[in-house]
Amino acid sequence: MQTPAPGSALSRWPAWVGYAASAWSLLYAALGLFWTFGGAGFPFGAGHDPQPLESILGGLPRTTTAPVIAGFGLIGTVVALASTRPGALRQPGRNAVLRILVLGFAALSAVALLVVIPDRRLLMIVAYAPILAGMGLWVLLTGSDLPTIANLGLWTLTHQVGSVLGGLLWAGVAVSFARRQRAACVTCGRGEQTPARTTSAAAARWGRWAVAVAVVIPLLYAATRWAWALGIRLGISEEFYQQGKANNMWWAGAALATLAIGGAVLTLGLAQRWGETYPRLVWFRAGRRVPPALAIVPASLVSIIVTSAGLEYLRLMFRPEFQENSWATMGPELLWPLWGVALAAATLAYHLRRRGACAECGRG
């Protein structure tokens, strides 16, 4: 595996991620203050979001939500800057509490921004993009109903992308701060002793289980959608089936199911040799090593948006209008949080197996 050069921006991410998170938080605080005093562009709730039920914040009024956003941004600005000075927080006594608060705020912020605030519309955009680029022409010719960005809420989606970006920065803050506190290398996380679970052999073992879960769940989803497209009323009423058949909705679902199957196949590569070395099928790269980032980056992003979408489905199940749905319409989606977590674990195992010697500390 090729490691970043010691002087590259990528290898120096622990040095700047705290400042980047602070800048992001300050911008978020400014937006919160702008919205508090009536500024345009508030992304949540009726009158601002075209589909407020999709968002966990859709039912909150602007008058209270905007000031909370401003406060969160201001606190985050200070905490992110504090994380860049771990030496000052490493002293005994009361600083132990401050260290826990900094790490806890960073971790909770990362989780909230990555998988709680975003909703399933991010996944819809990512899923429908290749359909429109490939199978979409045929789907559109058949008259299937496909969502448009305007209907989903362009500004709300933009805000969710910004939320994911901020979540990634805060995740970086949490990781780098925790590594500094335990005197490990901030670039690779290795210390004087390597935990048994992070060795290549151990990661290969538990990574295979994570891959298995991350493969089975999307296949269950694909099975229901392809069954409907082929005329099998799996878990749905005749009336609902005929309604979907009339507007060719089932073939649009089959297209999404095909993408899920393709994703499951690619997930297998996280535990297979062809995920590390290009197979002969890829003749122009056959035998060469697969760059780890080529698998790690997309798999990590998919794990985020799948988890976020799954958490929304869990929330929607408590609404009366969704409780009437059959097990087949929403049942597979209720497993998506587990899918996302399993995919994230499989990606981490892949990273642990593929990482080479650290360019900063030389371990590995």
Side-chain angles (χ1 to χ4, degrees), residues 169-239:
L169 291 175
W170 275 108
V173 170
V175 170
S176 62
F177 185 79
R179 287 175 177 177
R180 288 190 179 102
Q181 294 306 310
R182 59 186 179 89
C185 174
V186 292
T187 299
C188 70
R190 295 182 178 98
E192 293 298 329
Q193 295 182 343
T194 301
R197 64 182 179 277
T198 64
T199 63
S200 179
R205 288 192 297 270
W206 57 262
R208 283 192 291 268
W209 287 100
V211 167
V213 175
V215 167
V216 169
I217 294 177
L219 291 181
L220 292 176
Y221 167 83
T224 60
R225 271 53 185 176
W226 263 110
W228 300 339
L230 296 175
I232 303 172
R233 293 190 299 103
L234 182 64
I236 60 176
S237 65
E238 178 67 25
E239 180 183 1

Side-chain angles (χ1 to χ4, degrees), residues 122-133:
L122 274 184
L123 179 61
M124 293 173 68
I125 289 296
V126 172
Y128 275 109
I131 292 177
L132 293 174

Side-chain angles (χ1 to χ4, degrees), residues 249-277:
M249 182 169 63
W250 304 140
W251 285 110
L256 290 175
T258 302
L259 290 177
I261 294 172
V265 173
L266 291 176
T267 301
L268 286 173
L270 297 176
Q272 300 293 325
R273 183 172 178 79
W274 57 265
E276 302 179 24
T277 304

Side-chain angles (χ1 to χ4, degrees), residues 9-20:
L10 182 59
S11 67
R12 291 184 287 106
W13 68 267
W16 54 258
V17 70
Y19 298 103

Side-chain angles (χ1 to χ4, degrees), residues 326-353:
S326 68
W327 65 266
T329 55
M330 290 186 66
E333 287 89 332
L334 298 181
L335 296 174
W336 284 6
L338 178 59
W339 176 14
V341 172
L343 181 56
T347 306
L348 175 61
Y350 179 86
H351 161 69
L352 293 175
R353 290 191 298 107

